[in-house]
């Protein structure tokens, strides 16, 4: 399996474990609005290595995570039914890793490597 230009990793800080089975969508912003360019579901390690194309241009992108479904399957109430992370990809030569840390009532992110 090849690794896409943008990857993600989700950790459930409430359980201290990777969040597996979370659906995510990668979109690019254009003059016409947001356009889906990739999607995937986290594996047993909470990772999506093939979220989108192998190479994308500089621009504005967002990843939408279906966190409500993830918590619902666990029978856990959550305040955030989804999380959207918008970011600027400035250097097309670099890999962009966008991790997400979630719990039922909070989330955090950062630019990983």
């Amino acid at each position: 399996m090849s690794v896409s230009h943008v990857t993600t990793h989700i950790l459930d800080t409430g359980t201290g474990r990777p969040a597996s089975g979370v659906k995510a969508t990668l979109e690019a912003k254009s003059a016409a609005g947001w356009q889906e360019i990739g999607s995937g579901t986290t594996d047993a390690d909470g990772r999506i290595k093939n979220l989108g194309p192998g190479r994308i241009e500089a621009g504005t992108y967002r990843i939408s995570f279906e966190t409500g479904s993830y918590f619902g399957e666990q029978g856990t109430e959550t305040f955030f039914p989804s999380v959207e992370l918008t970011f600027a990809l400035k250097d097309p030569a670099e890999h962009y890793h966008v991790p997400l840390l979630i719990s039922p009532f909070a989330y955090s992110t950062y630019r990983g490597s």
Side-chain angles (χ1 to χ4, degrees), residues 24-26 36-41 48 50-52:
T25 304
L26 176 63
E36 182 177 327
I37 60 170
S39 64
T41 303
I48 304 176
N50 59 345
L51 184 57

Side-chain angles (χ1 to χ4, degrees), residues 2 11-12 22-23 39 41 47 52 58-59 72 78 82 86 97 99 108-109:
S2 64
L11 297 173
D12 183 336
V22 179
K23 294 179 183 176
S39 64
T41 303
R47 297 180 184 275
T78 183
S82 65
T86 304
H97 185 62
S108 177
T109 189

Side-chain angles (χ1 to χ4, degrees), residues 9-85:
H9 185 197
I10 307 174
L11 297 173
D12 183 336
T13 60
T15 63
R17 303 179 56 86
S20 63
V22 179
K23 294 179 183 176
T25 304
L26 176 63
E27 298 172 290
K29 188 174 184 180
S30 70
W34 292 100
Q35 298 177 344
E36 182 177 327
I37 60 170
S39 64
T41 303
T42 55
D43 62 16
D45 195 31
R47 297 180 184 275
I48 304 176
K49 296 179 183 177
N50 59 345
L51 184 57
R55 283 282 157 226
I56 54 179
E57 298 300 317
T60 302
Y61 296 86
R62 82 176 165 200
I63 304 174
S64 300
F65 299 92
E66 296 181 22
T67 53
S69 297
Y70 167 77
F71 285 115
E73 289 176 10
Q74 296 181 32
T76 302
E77 179 185 355
T78 183
F79 185 69
F80 299 103
S82 65
V83 174
E84 291 184 353
L85 304 178

